[in-house]
Amino acid sequence: MRTVEPIPDISIVLPVYNEAGSLPGLVAELTEVLTQLGRRYEIIAVDDGSTDDGVAVLRRLQEQEPHLRIVQFRRNFGQTAAFAAGFDYAQGDVIVTLDADGQNDPADIPRLIEMLEDGDYDLVNGWRQNRKEPLLTRKLPSMVANWLIANTSDVHLHDRGCSLKAMRRDLVKQIHLYGELHRFIPEVASLIGVRIAEVPVNDRPRRIGQSKYGALSRTPRVILDLLTVSFLLSFSGRPMRLFGGAGMVSSGLGIGVLAYLAGAKIFNGLRYGEEGFRAFRIGTNPWTMLAILLTVLGVQFLMMGLLGELLTRTYHEAQNKPIYFVRRVWGPPQPSPQEET
Ligand code: UDP
Ligand code: MG
């Protein structure tokens, strides 16, 4: 008879891209920490289209560690997709993510879980102490990005680049990740309303293999993602506020300048045919150009806002996306209105 595995309490999600060298050590460390914790667990390794023998290594590790599950991608889809797949397959009530290169220390996991459960948080983020990475190419861009997003959102975290996180299952199932938004899980989560805490964690140098991201090439992409996230955070429900505001300012300025030019033309006292009529010409005046540009731009912004409003409605209605998220219902059990439909 086939034994039914009990559902795990804790799911560990590892995004793996060409990390064959690091996997045996990491899985051994995880097994040790999780066994000591004494809870039911699973380790989900998502192989993101590795070109090394990572999957073979994982299959071998499975013989010693039956809690290891391998999800193999057809090709490299990126770290965000790897996390998203891990979340889809995870069964535990608590989901812990960490990098597969051994930079995050599995020994920190129990403290994260304790904070999550005892403090009734939805997400506990690691905060890497004494980071081992180079200052100029890694730490500095990361500090700038953290400072920027701290000022555009009300999620106050010190270290967004830390993959080591513990989250509750219901949170993970309610968020959707696209592009490279895995760096902004706390911000995406804050869209639905979450309680977030931070726990200092150990940072270790990468011993085997190399980083999958170019030293500086990631900075501009992170800044663009930051723009997306801050837009989503503040205006996604009401794009007209942003675009309409910009449109009103721009076309207001444009119309103002045009009115001034027209006034100057009419009231400077010269009539057609009079000597000096040509002294004030509107046609070739650079201010006219500016005024027209601003007015047209303003109209464009307003139209963009209207299109945005339409898209927002399609987004929420076509996919049945709720405009609210419930943390918990206190009282006798009833089907939720969202499930009824
Ligand atoms: N990773 C992935 N898919 C990718 C790139 C990276 O699954 O396309 C994984 C990688 O194997 C590692 C984690 O994401 O477990 C973080 O990558 P890396 O260590 O290269 O980033 P860094 O620590 O340099 O920021
Ligand atoms: Mg790394």
Side-chain angles (χ1 to χ4, degrees):
M1 202 181 85
R2 201 170 156 266
T3 50
V4 181
E5 282 283 315
I7 292 178
D9 254 358
I10 294 165
S11 300
I12 309 286
V13 171
L14 298 174
V16 182
Y17 182 52
N18 295 343
E19 309 283 6
S22 314
L23 287 168
L26 182 68
V27 170
E29 275 184 304
L30 280 170
T31 305
E32 197 193 319
V33 168
L34 292 162
T35 322
Q36 265 177 23
L37 199 61
R39 309 259 300 253
R40 289 192 304 273
Y41 68 92
E42 62 179 350
I43 302 171
I44 303 176
V46 183
D47 179 77
D48 186 12
S50 297
T51 49
D52 63 2
D53 59 345
V55 174
V57 170
L58 285 167
R59 293 295 304 275
R60 266 198 306 275
L61 289 170
Q62 243 175 354
E63 286 162 20
Q64 263 100 62
E65 174 49 284
H67 302 98
L68 180 63
R69 295 169 80 196
I70 309 163
V71 177
Q72 185 182 15
F73 278 1
R74 287 180 179 276
R75 66 168 174 87
N76 179 248
F77 286 101
Q79 201 180 341
T80 300
F83 275 135
F87 294 165
D88 287 341
Y89 281 88
Q91 294 175 288
D93 288 328
V94 173
I95 293 164
V96 178
T97 57
L98 70 159
D99 281 353
D101 55 6
Q103 283 183 285
N104 299 127
D105 190 347
D108 290 316
I109 293 177
R111 272 188 304 127
L112 259 76
I113 296 177
E114 193 187 303
M115 183 74 153
L116 186 84
E117 293 183 334
D118 295 353
D120 197 20
Y121 289 105
D122 298 301
L123 191 159
V124 176
N125 205 78
W127 173 13
R128 288 168 292 177
Q129 308 292 309
N130 48 59
R131 283 182 64 181
K132 303 292 188 306
E133 293 178 317
L135 176 73
L136 206 64
T137 51
R138 279 299 165 88
K139 278 196 261 184
L140 198 68
S142 146
M143 270 156 63
V144 173
N146 273 305
W147 179 83
L148 269 176
I149 192 146
N151 281 289
T152 47
S153 78
D154 44 34
V155 180
H156 299 289
L157 287 177
H158 292 88
D159 185 8
R160 286 180 172 75
C162 184
S163 286
L164 183 53
K165 292 179 172 63
M167 285 164 274
R168 280 187 194 277
R169 174 195 174 78
D170 47 358
L171 165 70
V172 159
K173 302 288 174 184
Q174 280 178 328
I175 58 174
H176 299 276
L177 299 176
Y178 306 96
E180 288 192 72
L181 288 190
H182 65 270
R183 298 196 183 88
F184 300 105
I185 290 179
E187 281 72 26
V188 174
S190 81
L191 279 171
I192 71 168
V194 283
R195 292 150 56 99
I196 298 179
E198 217 170 18
V199 167
V201 297
N202 191 13
D203 188 42
R204 307 188 291 188
R206 187 187 248 281
R207 269 171 307 186
I208 303 159
Q210 54 194 24
S211 173
K212 306 300 174 300
Y213 301 99
L216 280 172
S217 69
R218 121 165 81 184
T219 312
R221 282 183 291 147
V222 171
I223 289 175
L224 289 178
D225 286 346
L226 194 75
L227 269 177
T228 314
V229 170
S230 51
F231 173 76
L232 284 177
L233 276 175
S234 31
F235 293 108
S236 75
R238 45 203 166 101
M240 196 55 183
R241 296 274 176 91
L242 177 69
F243 292 111
M248 269 157 68
V249 170
S250 170
S251 51
L253 277 174
I255 290 171
V257 175
L258 273 180
Y260 169 77
L261 291 173
K265 181 88 187 168
I266 293 167
F267 294 114
N268 72 353
L270 299 173
R271 292 278 170 271
Y272 180 71
E274 273 180 48
E275 190 67 14
F277 175 75
R278 290 176 156 267
F280 192 84
R281 293 180 60 168
I282 283 191
T284 52
N285 193 323
W287 284 97
T288 316
M289 303 288 199
L290 182 72
I292 293 172
L293 184 75
L294 284 174
T295 315
V296 172
L297 210 64
V299 174
Q300 299 266 352
F301 270 132
L302 284 167
M303 299 316 275
M304 209 118 81
L306 284 176
L307 282 180
E309 292 283 331
L310 276 181
L311 282 179
T312 312
R313 278 156 187 71
T314 323
Y315 172 79
H316 283 288
E317 281 160 28
Q319 303 173 35
N320 236 337
K321 283 247 162 58
I323 57 166
Y324 65 88
F325 294 89
V326 175
R327 186 190 304 277
R328 213 176 287 168
V329 177
W330 307 91
Q334 274 177 352
S336 82
Q338 281 175 21
E339 278 161 19
E340 268 175 355
T341 47

